[in-house]
Amino acid sequence: MTGFGRAEIDSRFGRFTVEVSSVNSRFLELAVRLPRNLTALEPQARELLNAGVTRGKVSLFVNLMDNGHALTGPLINRELARNYHRELLKLKRELKLEGDLRLSDILQIPEITHPVAAEPDQERIWPVIRKGILKALKAMQAMRAREGKAMAADMARRLKVMTGLIASVEKSTAGAVEKYAAKLAARIAELLNGQKYDPVRLEEEIAIFADRTDIAEECLRFRSHIDQFLQTMNQSEAVGRRLNFILQELNREVNTIGSKASEFDVSAKVISLKEEIEKLREQAQNVE
């Protein structure tokens, strides 16, 4: 499921900007980007994401705008300063320039001095980053929840359509055995032209047909799977994988019904059921 969350946390180390985003994926994939001097905190960040998300391609981005408190002071490149001083004195003599060469003149050269960043105190910084991740994660989960509600409503509508289709299949196959028995008896009588035939053999043939075409058990299990699907949707924990499993069972029952069906309208309804199951499967693969 897709979602995005953003948080900004001000601290004595600077302002942390945290962004967490997710897109659809059958499995959990994590991508973490931290400031270069804080990459050692990646395991803790991943653990936090693992606790909050079970499915999806999730990206975490943390940026730090330094407020200057992390600097220890300037570093002077003494060797470079000596080289500049020596060459500048030579240039002064060559050009026969007046005046003194001051320290301030050398320090104005950009390469001579540069600030040195202090090593980050990761034990103190982690609680700040953790707070930002949790805040961004909460915002992302809220967005995913809104998408999930819309998806659940669409799933419920499709399940209602499937319930109607399976009821129509049961209605279409009602009395099929009796119709077959009457048709078979009439055909035998026509072929024998009034001669006697073995009624036991006829009953056996009808029983074989009834066993081969009876879909009552499959329809019963189909309805039970739909009820399980609805119950699972209403659970608060992660249900995506369980929904996928139930859809496999629904598809199994529909395939069996299709193999037993002899009427054209039943075959057409089976195709419609498979279409609805496939649409549900596409959605369930993205459900956490």
Side-chain angles (χ1 to χ4, degrees):
M1 297 172 66
T2 57
F4 176 81
R6 190 173 189 272
E8 291 186 354
I9 305 294
D10 288 317
S11 72
R12 65 187 184 88
F13 306 103
R15 170 172 289 189
F16 286 94
T17 302
V18 182
E19 294 180 354
V20 180
S21 61
S22 70
V23 294
N24 294 333
S25 177
R26 292 180 61 188
F27 308 101
L28 179 61
E29 303 176 56
L30 300 179
V32 177
R33 290 177 57 194
L34 298 172
R36 187 170 57 182
N37 57 351
L38 296 176
T39 53
L41 296 175
E42 183 173 332
Q44 292 97 308
R46 285 181 172 273
E47 185 178 351
L48 207 59
L49 293 174
N50 269 308
V53 186
T54 60
R55 209 175 195 184
K57 189 173 183 179
V58 181
S59 299
L60 168 66
F61 172 72
V62 179
N63 184 48
L64 171 62
M65 294 182 63
D66 198 338
N67 59 10
H69 292 177
L71 302 180
T72 59
L75 175 68
I76 299 176
N77 191 329
R78 286 176 168 76
E79 184 63 28
L80 184 61
R82 293 189 188 98
N83 292 337
Y84 267 110
H85 181 260
R86 184 173 56 252
E87 295 301 319
L88 289 172
L89 287 176
K90 289 180 181 179
L91 183 62
K92 179 184 175 183
R93 288 194 296 269
E94 291 174 6
L95 298 178
K96 298 179 181 180
L97 298 175
E98 299 293 335
D100 298 326
L101 181 60
R102 300 175 182 276
L103 177 62
S104 59
D105 298 327
I106 297 176
L107 293 178
Q108 289 179 7
I109 300 172
E111 295 85 355
I112 298 299
T113 63
H114 59 84
V116 179
E119 284 298 318
D121 188 342
Q122 296 180 0
E123 289 187 3
R124 294 183 178 181
I125 289 179
W126 168 242
V128 180
I129 295 179
R130 182 179 184 276
K131 181 179 179 182
I133 293 175
L134 290 175
K135 187 176 180 180
L137 196 57
K138 184 177 180 180
M140 184 198 74
Q141 289 170 333
M143 181 180 290
R144 283 161 59 105
R146 289 193 294 270
E147 180 185 349
K149 287 181 180 180
M151 190 180 295
D154 184 69
M155 284 182 166
R157 182 183 63 80
R158 295 190 184 282
L159 290 170
K160 187 175 181 180
V161 170
M162 290 164 62
T163 300
L165 284 169
I166 204 69
S168 180
V169 167
E170 290 176 310
K171 184 177 180 181
S172 297
T173 56
V177 175
E178 291 77 4
K179 292 177 184 177
Y180 174 78
K183 185 177 180 180
L184 182 61
R187 180 61 175 162
I188 291 173
E190 181 184 351
L191 291 173
L192 294 178
N193 195 20
Q195 298 181 30
K196 291 185 178 181
Y197 60 88
D198 185 1
V200 175
R201 183 70 186 88
L202 176 62
E203 290 177 1
E204 290 176 351
E205 184 65 28
I206 294 172
I208 292 172
F209 174 82
D211 183 66
R212 190 172 65 245
T213 60
D214 182 27
I215 61 170
E217 188 175 344
E218 285 79 9
C219 290
L220 181 64
R221 285 198 296 265
F222 190 90
R223 293 178 184 278
S224 175
H225 293 327
I226 286 182
D227 291 339
Q228 291 177 24
F229 197 98
L230 285 168
Q231 292 172 9
T232 303
M233 282 173 53
N234 294 324
Q235 294 176 2
S236 57
E237 64 268 17
V239 297
R241 289 180 175 83
R242 180 171 175 80
L243 292 179
N244 275 308
F245 175 76
I246 296 173
L247 287 170
Q248 290 177 12
E249 296 303 307
L250 282 169
N251 194 62
R252 192 194 310 277
E253 302 302 338
V254 170
N255 284 334
T256 305
I257 292 171
S259 65
K260 290 184 174 183
S262 56
E263 294 85 357
F264 173 78
D265 63 327
V266 173
S267 298
K269 291 181 177 69
V270 165
I271 292 173
S272 296
L273 282 167
K274 287 186 175 183
E275 289 176 346
E276 294 298 329
I277 291 173
E278 186 58 32
K279 291 173 183 176
L280 284 173
R281 193 196 309 277
E282 290 175 2
Q283 293 177 317
Q285 286 178 351
N286 299 319
V287 172
E288 184 174 341

